[in-house]
Amino acid sequence: MDDTKGIAAHIPHLRRYARALTGDYTAAEDLVQDTLERAWKRFGLWRTGSNLRAWLFTIMHNIFINQVRIEPHKQDQNAEHSALHWWGSRTAEQRLELADLSKALRRLSNEHREVILLIGLEQMSYDEAAKVLGVPIGTVMSRLSRGREQLRAIMNGTSDTSQLKVVK
């Protein structure tokens, strides 16, 4: 198979991750478009035999981080409204649960949210997530553990994310 055609197979996964990252359908589509454009322009930099999926997600991650740095407030503007567009046909109860989960994910730091989405939503291995994020595998494991703990607390209504733990 031609390697450039392999990119097309990853588009649904890129869309899903972008929607979960941004919380906004339009912003997600723009992020996917920017990712594909950059991947196409820089395809000569991809090493044949390496993980194409991780390479594409790394590009998306870097674009997203740059966008957040430039316009940090834009990330959450339409998150609740737009998230409903990609949940498909669910029951009212499921939609409410997903809305709660979406709100809880928005309360996490980008670092924790990204790891949870890459591993939980995209089913990446710790090694793949580490490559995408450009961090050591131990950092991925730590962020995942802390992120899951915070997410669980938020969903149970026992979290005040502004509190810090006292370490002795």
Side-chain angles (χ1 to χ4, degrees):
M1 170 170 66
D2 181 358
D3 292 329
T4 56
K5 290 180 184 175
I7 291 175
H10 296 287
I11 293 173
H13 302 284
L14 291 168
R15 280 192 174 125
R16 181 175 57 201
Y17 182 58
R19 288 176 185 159
L21 264 183
T22 64
D24 179 82
Y25 181 83
T26 304
E29 290 299 313
D30 289 345
L31 181 57
V32 171
Q33 180 70 29
D34 292 343
T35 300
L36 294 172
E37 180 181 356
R38 187 170 295 173
W40 185 257
K41 285 180 180 177
R42 299 181 180 176
F43 195 72
L45 299 175
W46 179 69
R47 293 178 307 214
T48 303
S50 65
N51 189 333
L52 180 61
R53 178 181 184 210
W55 185 70
L56 291 168
F57 274 79
T58 300
I59 292 170
M60 179 175 281
H61 168 76
N62 291 336
I63 292 170
F64 175 73
I65 292 301
N66 289 338
Q67 289 174 351
V68 169
R69 285 183 185 144
I70 293 168
E71 298 183 73
H73 67 282
K74 189 175 179 182
Q75 180 183 355
D76 294 322
Q77 283 179 343
N78 298 317
E80 288 179 43
H81 179 273
S82 297
L84 296 176
H85 292 284
W86 60 275
W87 288 346
S89 58
R90 309 251 187 224
T91 67
E93 184 177 339
Q94 290 170 327
R95 290 174 69 94
L96 289 172
E97 287 174 0
L98 288 170
D100 288 344
L101 178 59
S102 180
K103 287 178 192 175
L105 283 167
R106 294 266 145 251
R107 290 182 57 191
L108 297 177
S109 69
N110 283 337
E111 291 83 13
H112 291 129
R113 183 172 55 248
E114 290 165 348
V115 170
I116 286 174
L117 294 174
L118 287 173
I119 292 172
L121 181 66
E122 291 304 322
Q123 301 295 302
M124 285 190 177
S125 68
Y126 291 175
D127 187 50
E128 285 177 308
K131 287 177 183 167
V132 167
L133 299 172
V135 298
I137 196 168
T139 302
V140 167
M141 293 166 44
S142 174
R143 287 180 184 175
L144 181 62
S145 176
R146 288 187 182 118
R148 283 178 175 165
E149 182 180 316
Q150 288 177 4
L151 189 58
R152 204 174 294 116
I154 292 168
M155 293 296 289
N156 290 332
T158 60
S159 173
D160 179 9
T161 56
S162 63
Q163 290 183 349
L164 297 176
K165 289 185 177 180
V166 177
V167 179
K168 293 183 181 185

